Amino acid sequence: MLDKLRSCAAQIGAVIVGKELQIRQSLTCLMAGGHLLIEDAPGVGKTTLAHAVALSLGLPFRRLQFTSDLLPSDVIGVSVYDRSANQFVFHPGPIFSEVLLADEINRASPKTQSALLEAMEENQVSVDGMARPLPQPFFVIATQNPLHQVGTFPLPESQLDRFLMCISLGYPDRAAERALLAGESRRDMLKTLRPVAKPADLVSAQLAVKAVFASGALLDYVQALLAHTRASGRFAEGLSPRAGLALLQAARAWAWFDGRDHVIPEDIQNVLPAVAGHRLHAVQREGGRVLHGRELVAQLIQAVPV
């Protein structure tokens, strides 16, 4: 099972060149049972990474381009009156798939973004007063453009907190970019990808991840990190209990991917930037530069001893 997940990482790495860390973070997020947000400038491979992950894991997926005129019913589905049956018939939307690839999620209006809240938290959607369960496993892999670009709507904190991890690809290094320029089209390579694992393998991996041991001392360290964000006065808002659970589960997945049955502090530190970077914001101060995301996480790791 672990070998299959590592083979998935290798296959994805042949398409997304030079981004081994981000590929492992993506798989870690899914093994931890969480949703993934990929934030970066257009053209760096966000959508390609999302496609490659879903294809390699053998997960059925639907891709939905988020735009300003997208409606909640375009995501969830709509009930249409069937005259022959004399009743309304529900037509499921693209959210009824094991993976929803939400492309440029922050180009949709807040009303449409909110259509994902219940699905991401409770694995169901409520339509016409009826709760409809989603397939299992269910993941949202969303891409997001930088907020300073034209036509974007910032994701509210409640939406961001439902993404277990937020990662950034960045520009490739010189060697990786040369391989991209000289090699085959990434879109053509996606067409040749074959599932290395099955959805059942991912479910088994999730169960194995939950069994990874976290000692009392390790939990003390996690609590110390959470407490520092809440009491230090350096953050606009501290990390929530949901963030603490996400941090621990992601660290378990990271440890399992390394072949260990227990979590060590380095696992916490390895996943903390992706788990907490999008949840932390510095207190606005007059003068000086306001730190964001990974800079705040780096300071947090330095401030809290193991």
Side-chain angles (χ1 to χ4, degrees), residues 62 64-67 70-78 90-97 100 102 105 108 111-117 119 125 127 134 138 140:
R62 299 277 297 275
L64 184 60
Q65 182 67 48
F66 278 61
T67 56
L70 193 74
L71 298 175
S73 58
D74 296 326
V75 180
I76 296 174
V78 63
F90 179 68
H91 294 261
I95 201 170
F96 285 89
S97 59
L100 174 65
I105 188 173
K111 182 177 182 179
T112 302
Q113 292 175 14
S114 65
L116 295 172
L117 291 177
V125 294
V127 183
L134 296 172
F138 170 72
V140 174

Side-chain angles (χ1 to χ4, degrees), residues 86-115:
N86 195 30
Q87 64 181 3
F88 283 92
V89 178
F90 179 68
H91 294 261
I95 201 170
F96 285 89
S97 59
E98 294 189 354
V99 177
L100 174 65
L101 300 182
D103 208 12
E104 297 185 306
I105 188 173
N106 60 334
R107 290 198 179 277
S109 67
K111 182 177 182 179
T112 302
Q113 292 175 14
S114 65

